[in-house]
Amino acid sequence: MTSIYQHFRSDERDFIDQVLEWRSYVETNYAPKLTDFLDPRQQRILISIIGQHHEVKYSLFPESEQVERKRVLIYPDYYIPLQDDYNVALYKLNYPEKFIRLEHRQILGSILSLGIKREKFGDIILNQPVIQFMVAEEVSHYVQMHLNQIGKNKVSLDRVAFDHLIQSEEKWREKVSTVSSLRLDVIISSIYNISRQKAKDFITGGIVKVNWRNVEQVSFDVEEGDVLSVRGLGRSKLLSIEGRTKKEKWRIIAGLLN
């Protein structure tokens, strides 16, 4: 079983063990297992481990490609999942939209301040002035009761059906470039068009995240599908690694969030 770890990063071992436990639970109990909200990297790991398994299946919700964080249902091959199995509640945020503009970070901070763990809520989707977000059903009533203020602004929540899920106003712009290596400092320098030294300073300064986790190692290897963020410069994604050029450089395609 140790060979499975070779395909992933060393700091992902705990999550790999968790996925193996979930799979074992489904195999042993012949019953479905629902995860918390997983980020795209975690989803990729889970799919890699369970994807080729014949007796254990998986499905993700919401199915929309624009949604990043999803709950995953792992289930035996006889089971037919229903939407209610995923236990996801979708809320619309009511606020004085004529007078203020709420940002993603403000909403995120307010939900976290309620003591809700990050894995218990999903995407916050903005298409101004409409704002929606998803939470796990098991904490939905608590959130609806206690999320009544963001900053100094009074807010309220309306639960809505997933038929009314909005499209995010966020748009990704593709950027094609060549890099000498897939080290984090090199990738950050290329994507954000800053010097290599500045990229190193940002990384060691603790303002760079890879897949929503702080990374302070400049030599960290970035992989296809990784989501990057630099505080103050925004979010990006390594969409694909196209191979090497004749000069032995990597050709990459990145997405930058406008």
Side-chain angles (χ1 to χ4, degrees):
M1 188 58 69
T2 55
S3 62
I4 196 169
Y5 302 112
Q6 299 174 3
H7 302 290
F8 305 100
R9 293 166 175 150
S10 59
D11 63 349
E12 294 170 333
R13 189 182 183 106
D14 288 346
F15 182 71
I16 293 167
D17 289 341
Q18 180 70 78
V19 175
L20 293 172
E21 286 182 19
W22 291 333
R23 188 178 73 182
S24 177
Y25 172 89
V26 174
E27 289 175 321
T28 303
N29 295 280
Y30 216 48
K33 176 67 178 179
L34 180 65
T35 75
D36 286 327
F37 285 96
L38 305 182
D39 64 44
R41 174 66 182 181
Q42 292 172 322
Q43 295 166 31
R44 186 177 176 184
I45 293 171
L46 183 147
I47 291 169
S48 297
I49 294 173
I50 297 180
Q52 303 302 318
H53 203 282
H54 297 298
E55 296 181 358
V56 177
K57 309 296 183 184
Y58 70 89
S59 59
L60 291 73
F61 186 84
E63 295 180 355
S64 171
E65 290 186 3
Q66 71 152 346
V67 175
E68 290 185 338
R69 300 176 63 85
K70 303 183 181 190
R71 297 194 87 168
V72 182
L73 188 71
I74 308 168
Y75 56 94
D77 55 3
Y78 79 88
Y79 195 83
I80 301 176
L82 301 174
Q83 182 171 310
D84 288 347
D85 291 330
Y86 300 93
N87 288 346
V88 178
L90 177 65
Y91 284 104
K92 176 181 178 291
L93 187 67
N94 301 311
Y95 64 100
E97 58 190 55
K98 291 183 178 179
F99 306 103
I100 63 169
R101 180 184 175 93
L102 294 178
E103 304 293 339
H104 186 283
R105 59 179 178 79
Q106 295 173 294
I107 304 162
L108 175 62
S110 296
I111 298 174
L112 289 172
S113 71
L114 299 177
I116 303 295
K117 293 181 179 179
R118 187 63 183 96
E119 57 266 27
K120 288 299 181 184
F121 64 97
D123 284 14
I124 298 169
I125 304 171
L126 291 83
N127 193 332
Q128 299 287 358
V130 182
I131 299 173
Q132 295 178 344
F133 66 89
M134 297 167 220
V135 298
E137 189 71 64
E138 55 266 31
V139 299
S140 61
H141 295 300
Y142 178 85
V143 173
Q144 187 164 16
M145 183 178 297
H146 291 91
L147 186 62
N148 47 40
Q149 189 166 328
I150 296 178
K152 297 180 180 180
N153 307 290
K154 297 293 184 182
V155 301
S156 64
L157 302 177
D158 285 334
R159 183 159 179 165
V160 296
F162 273 90
D163 292 345
H164 300 290
L165 179 66
I166 61 172
Q167 295 289 315
S168 173
E169 64 189 3
E170 297 179 335
K171 296 190 182 299
W172 294 88
R173 173 173 55 88
E174 285 193 3
K175 178 180 181 180
V176 179
S177 60
T178 56
V179 293
S180 58
S181 78
L182 299 175
R183 283 167 47 121
L184 182 57
D185 59 335
V186 176
I187 297 296
I188 291 292
S189 173
S190 173
I191 291 178
Y192 293 98
N193 197 28
I194 58 177
S195 70
R196 180 97 169 262
Q197 184 57 53
K198 195 165 189 177
K200 289 180 178 179
D201 291 343
F202 284 159
I203 296 165
T204 57
I207 65 170
V208 174
K209 290 184 177 181
V210 180
N211 298 323
W212 298 271
R213 296 168 180 80
N214 281 101
V215 175
E216 297 184 8
Q217 298 170 279
V218 295
S219 60
F220 181 91
D221 282 331
V222 181
E223 297 181 4
E224 189 172 279
D226 282 345
V227 176
L228 316 173
S229 65
V230 181
R231 192 185 308 154
L233 297 182
R235 217 155 35 109
S236 62
K237 183 186 300 184
L238 184 55
L239 298 174
S240 66
I241 300 171
E242 301 290 291
R244 289 188 180 272
T245 67
K246 292 180 179 179
K247 294 184 178 180
E248 291 300 305
K249 289 191 173 184
W250 292 101
R251 184 174 183 270
I252 64 170
I253 300 177
L256 289 96
L257 196 57
N258 291 332

